[in-house]
Amino acid sequence: MKQPNAIIIGAGIGGITAATHLARRGWQITVVEKNGRPGGRCDHFIRDGHRFDTGPTLFIMPRVFEAEFAALGASLHEMLALQRVDPSYHLVFDDGRQLTLTADLKSMCEQLEAIEPGSFQGYLRYIEEGHRHYHLAMERLVNRDFRTATQFFNLRNLSLLPGLKPLVPHYRNMASYFAHPRLKAAFTFQDVYMGLSPFEAPATFSMMPYTELAHGVWYPKGGMYRIVDALAELARRAGVEFIFDAEVERIEVDGDRARGVTLASGQRLAADTIVANADLPYVYQHLLPEDGRAARLARKRYSCSTISFFWGVDKAYPGLGPHTLFLADDYRENFESIIRDPALPENPSLYVHAPVRLDPTAAPAGQDTLIGIVPVGHLDDANGQDWGEIRDRARQAIFRRLATLGITDLEAHLKFEVCYLPLSWRKRYNLMKGATHGLCHTLTQLGYFRPQNQHPRYRNLYFVGASTHPGTGAPTAMISARLAVERIMDAGGSALVQPKR
């Protein structure tokens, strides 16, 4: 029997995971990646002894990671040295007052009651709701592959409406638990990870603050890129071949089949099956023949983007926690500026990551490595955006916010700065509109409504990653890979079903 072969376009987390699943089932797998190393947007770089994660900086949803590593025949905790980050966040408000999010219930009680008397009981009820949302959503929505409309629209799923509150905006739902606007903000800001404003995100997403507080925020020793290192190691053990600095120019199709890919160098690679881990809208617009689908995807809602500053600093700031989030009191205006305009708010909420607090090897001794991230609107070619001016305002916003913590000399101690703009995300990772989380997660872009893991015409072309089901994020990228491979097996790739042990 001929050994089946597949080409994986893109060595992001979803692509590497799909490659490993298939290789363990006896497939011959080649991964082609436009950049010089694996990881996709879960990337990193090192400069003058300072190590930067350029993508995600928080390791969340550890139970999902455990299950997906196990599906690859590996133990997460043997592959990665994880440490729990508690407190998970230090929240700082406009007047300098702070709220520390922690698993310590006594500390949470004291802090919440100081802001709003009686709010701790609301917090406990909110976490209970988040627990329900997490387990229902993971079992019935995230880990499910909705291949037909009837698998999604049925009486069993209809019963989820009261339990998951998908039709109730997340921020409005907070009124059931808190009165103070700062507490409502403290437990809804995670919606920006989905590319959404909490004023339109479904209340279902209370599952995110729940999993952070209940299951923990973690950090791999050596940085978040260690996830990529671990997955690439599993792939190579399984026999996966990687070709780097090899950009795909187009997917070759014939009738209702994809036949292979042509690289920018002109080289052609044939395959029985193709799995695209490149940004799904990019694949439709640039790699496939035009059939109207690319135009329809372009009209969908895209997530926001970010301006990310990577600073090597010649002194340490030990008082700055690993994850500090500055939340603006004009919370609604912040999200409306980012999601609707799209632009940079006048007083933006922003995030500063100090990995040296967790891993001293992230900087030379006595120095610091800092990452400042400011959410902004995605690229809007129709209206034009002055990214130089927006970048400068974002930088000053970070300096201004850090000054409320007594850090007033950062600019004088910068050794160097590297900055990623939405333009950078588009150029480096082929992200449409520079949207760092792909298609956003509105109700009409979730579940069966989200682009599926298999092309509707070219039935041997599959998709994994942020803009396909189930959605954005490193752990969900691994889920999307597993779901796509299940489709491949069901479509006739199951002649070699048993994974290697």
Side-chain angles (χ1 to χ4, degrees), residues 92 94 325-331 333-335 337-338 343-351 373-376 390 393-398 400-401:
V92 184
D94 283 349
L325 191 69
F326 296 88
L327 288 178
D329 284 340
D330 49 352
Y331 193 58
E333 171 59 26
N334 255 254
F335 281 100
S337 294
I338 294 168
L344 178 71
E346 287 300 317
N347 179 37
S349 296
L350 54 91
Y351 162 74
I373 299 178
V374 184
V376 294
I390 295 172
R393 286 201 292 125
R395 183 192 298 111
Q396 290 305 313
I398 299 176
R400 185 174 65 251
R401 292 290 202 156

Side-chain angles (χ1 to χ4, degrees), residues 12 35 67 71 75 129 135 145 196 290 317 364 431 445 449 454-455:
N35 293 318
S75 165
E129 178 181 83
H135 289 281
D145 182 9
L196 283 177
E290 173 56 43
Y317 294 93
L431 302 181
Q445 294 182 180
F449 297 114
Q454 186 175 13
H455 194 282

